[in-house]
Amino acid sequence: MQARLRGIFPPVPTSFDAAGDVDVRAIAANVTRLMTTGLSGVLALGSNGEAASLDETESDRILAAVRGVVPASKVLIAGTGRESTRSTIDACRRAAAIGADVVLVRPPSYYKSQMTSDALVGHFRSVADASPAPVMLYNLPATGVTLTLPVVSTLAAHPNIVGLKETSPELERLGQFAEIGEGFRVLTGWAPVLLPALAMGAAGGILAVANVLPDQTVRLFDHAIAGRHTEALALQRGLTPIARLVSSVYGVAGLKAALDLAGFHGGPVRAPLLSVSDRERDDIARTLSAIPR
Amino acid sequence: MQARLRGIFPPVPTSFDAAGDVDVRAIAANVTRLMTTGLSGVLALGSNGEAASLDETESDRILAAVRGVVPASKVLIAGTGRESTRSTIDACRRAAAIGADVVLVRPPSYYKSQMTSDALVGHFRSVADASPAPVMLYNLPATGVTLTLPVVSTLAAHPNIVGLKETSPELERLGQFAEIGEGFRVLTGWAPVLLPALAMGAAGGILAVANVLPDQTVRLFDHAIAGRHTEALALQRGLTPIARLVSSVYGVAGLKAALDLAGFHGGPVRAPLLSVSDRERDDIARTLSAIPR
Amino acid sequence: MQARLRGIFPPVPTSFDAAGDVDVRAIAANVTRLMTTGLSGVLALGSNGEAASLDETESDRILAAVRGVVPASKVLIAGTGRESTRSTIDACRRAAAIGADVVLVRPPSYYKSQMTSDALVGHFRSVADASPAPVMLYNLPATGVTLTLPVVSTLAAHPNIVGLKETSPELERLGQFAEIGEGFRVLTGWAPVLLPALAMGAAGGILAVANVLPDQTVRLFDHAIAGRHTEALALQRGLTPIARLVSSVYGVAGLKAALDLAGFHGGPVRAPLLSVSDRERDDIARTLSAIPR
Amino acid sequence: MQARLRGIFPPVPTSFDAAGDVDVRAIAANVTRLMTTGLSGVLALGSNGEAASLDETESDRILAAVRGVVPASKVLIAGTGRESTRSTIDACRRAAAIGADVVLVRPPSYYKSQMTSDALVGHFRSVADASPAPVMLYNLPATGVTLTLPVVSTLAAHPNIVGLKETSPELERLGQFAEIGEGFRVLTGWAPVLLPALAMGAAGGILAVANVLPDQTVRLFDHAIAGRHTEALALQRGLTPIARLVSSVYGVAGLKAALDLAGFHGGPVRAPLLSVSDRERDDIARTLSAIPR
């Protein structure tokens, strides 16, 4: 599996209909179109998929719909992190049964002061022991829980743990994770540092902007890997402004607005998230139109 | 309702059996015993109830069991915060149907950078509009989302929002909340500052230590309210060390260990939480035995 | 000395003339007027005295001027913290020679990641050994270095360390410091929590707002100590809004604007600090005029 | 000047003799030896030079000694940041008079909550207007004050501001600074991310590890610039462990211990900093000896 965790993966958003219910047809339509590009696969049920706001039945329906349109040649990653170990294991089993190739598991974070190294190692080991699908760790320091090098090194030795997604602009830690070995793939989740992350040994990225501009994101990856540094840096600088708007600046609402502008299905977010304002939408439209295609 | 949100409320932990399943009989036994004291009521399904690690069915069973043993003269508060507005509303409706007198709602925190004042006001207003039971806000800055004075002042004007639990040692903000008015009750969730919180106008506390030492905690409240400052300060200083161990230091696992030592049902925590070590249990036992009864 | 570290002390600001030089006459005039009230003394060369922006010669001139107008019946505290141990000791010696009764020493904070407990204990012990004047510790968590209970307990045993100023709204830690013993006085530096700090055992406060409203601040202290809780809480609530504007909200510039409005010498701040805007000055004026005299 | 701000610069430490006084001969000896390598120049009076613990006279003596041994073909950068604008300007003038080619100015940080964008722009503009030597900004987020893109973009337009040192592992911000233009040079101060910083457009680095291993650090720079990515990544991974020990892990004390081990003059640190323990020194020795020369 490790060999296939390479390249660019969009974390697909969850479309909702006018009644606020999950719209699996819109999701499948987005993914179908994305799968005609050079993307290596997709992540369903990630943070950008508003996974925290979905119930278990909705999660399963979304994953099944995505599975139906991701070809076997591409990788389907499913977000299955939950707050308790037992519900995480349950989510991993269901995701594998539906056909996920890999599960991406964030650390529990509600009891963050109790998430010691021992607690985190215990949690991920239990999950990896029980999950039928290989496990990818998810480092998201913004939650208040950070996976450190000693924890990740210990976990990387588990035969069912295949890699890590690092969602931060901090590259010292990513560089240390990337050095663990060939059998442990590191993907960045922070598009504005895709190029330097690849320079540090990352194998690719799971990037919101890849939903909106899949071709350009893949091209940046290809240039970087091929050593065409001037072209890669120019593309990185071109993508960074819109990448920021659809992630750290406006979040999922910004991503959905950009999708609408780019001809995909974006649509509303689920409360408590709020849609972008008109001014924010204009900001996104202007930034998007400034990117050379 | 506001008049009854006064005094000391323990946030009751959730007991699990050897198989890791919810043990409603143990929970009911604990609450039954607590209800013979001067406590004003209980909180079920709070952070100390490991609510984040429970599924919806388990939550309902626990609440029903607690309802069965809390007399009408005492207040039953139920934790009903979820990450999405719609699942929070659903939890409030179910809790009210089971018989909760008040619902305690923490802010969503997964998308913390998007939890603007507008998003928080929108969330809590929707919840308060829909909840059959009066709503108490829950400020827990450790989650990374803090309810500020402007947000709380706005929400306090809603007829179905009756108060706020402030879980932090920071008393400037609590003092401002306590000044909002008689119709808006503020309870502290941080036992080491119960006395000064009362001095600032808090109406009481929701305190883990009250599960273990209900009589002493109620007595501290009574002394403080009656202006017996010397006795109150002595009691506060006596309770603070154990209060720290069962909350900020060892968390829910520490609370359950203390309950076992005090003759209540404590038992195991649910993973990823880890039970206390032998050394930590000794620390708790020693601290507990040093308290004058 | 400990017995005299009780009550309210204003941290006097440093006045500058139109050329930006220290104006010792204005400073002395302010202090002279303050010394006609019930204040217990003053702090010169604190954060509110813009000590970080003064050179050593200026510091000595200011201290001498203040000494000249503080009667022997009141306590003169001098801020003498520096980044190196040797320059801190030098500042303590000079302050004592000029006539300071007590020196207030903040922890070095430039190399904050290296300010381990051992480094802090070593620093303060060397300073206390060498200082001719008794030493008061200064806890200012906003600098990124926090004095913890183990460090403070260790240092409190030193015969030349007489107390601590805690500048934060966090009262759990203050409560623990206040419990150390009669020989170790704790003063709060956060006016919005003066009342609850006194409830926790603080001996008084070093408070910017006491420069502007000395009588009201002293009255709040007197009510609190005498157990007149209703009057004390009303005064606290009356003082908190202006206390916030002259400290956490607008800083030293806000304090100086308030002094100008109250008929003291305020004047300009030293760059990089900026004076308040007209809108901010109006905010201060409005808040000040709303306080019952 | 901008064209010469390229490559690797060590921030030279300040040697002290047994009495704790500055030892300019030891400093000059270190720099003399460093100047025989491919380094582009040196920084004197930086954080690693314990500038915060030096008085003005000591600072001038050190700078004069370093100037004496840095040839005209190399660049001498002097740290001149102070807490007030006027003392910063004074330090810049003295440094220029002594012969510094560039001055490196950190933001004031004591009044961090007042360091608004307006205050920072005002400070640096005043300094740049008055400084005879070109000014380099110093971003050191660990101080609690961060220079943001809008502030830096504004300042970069000043004719006497020539670049910025970014001391953090965060590469999104560095990438944005590096895009400002050819006339504004960005150097990284965080050795573990030298390679990816260069990939993002940095012109080089000011790196503690370059004091200890100048040849290897320069070689990493040369490989990276020449596009020899495999060799550069191998060197980066080889240098990162020791680079961490002499900066984020053990600080200046670790750097001085490593210098002693590498045959330079290291010696004691000035209190409150503490020398490394024997165990820490062994850690450094072991890590140093593992590096291929």
Side-chain angles (χ1 to χ4, degrees), chain D residues 60-108:
Chain D
D60 290 354
R61 286 179 56 224
I62 292 165
L63 192 61
V66 173
R67 176 72 282 176
V69 294
V70 172
S73 60
K74 309 263 186 181
V75 179
L76 172 55
I77 309 171
T80 56
R82 298 291 186 276
E83 282 299 319
S84 76
T85 307
R86 67 195 248 155
S87 55
T88 304
I89 290 172
D90 188 54
C92 291
R93 287 179 172 150
R94 284 169 22 235
I98 294 169
D101 298 309
V102 177
V103 290
L104 178 68
V105 182
R106 67 170 175 83

Side-chain angles (χ1 to χ4, degrees), chain B residues 169-172 175-176 178-179 190 192-193 195-201 229 233 236-238 240 244 248, chain C residues 169-172 175-176 178-179 190 192-193 195-201 229 233 236-238 240 244 248:
Chain B
E170 212 272 54
L171 290 195
E172 176 175 355
Q176 295 176 304
E179 205 179 333
W190 204 272
V193 297
L195 172 60
L198 295 171
M200 277 302 248
H229 185 259
L233 184 56
Q236 175 72 65
R237 288 178 173 176
T240 290
R244 286 169 45 78
S248 55
Chain C
E170 211 272 54
L171 289 196
E172 177 177 355
Q176 295 177 304
E179 206 179 331
W190 204 270
V193 297
L195 172 59
L198 295 171
M200 277 302 248
H229 185 258
L233 184 56
Q236 175 72 64
R237 289 178 173 176
T240 290
R244 286 169 45 79
S248 54

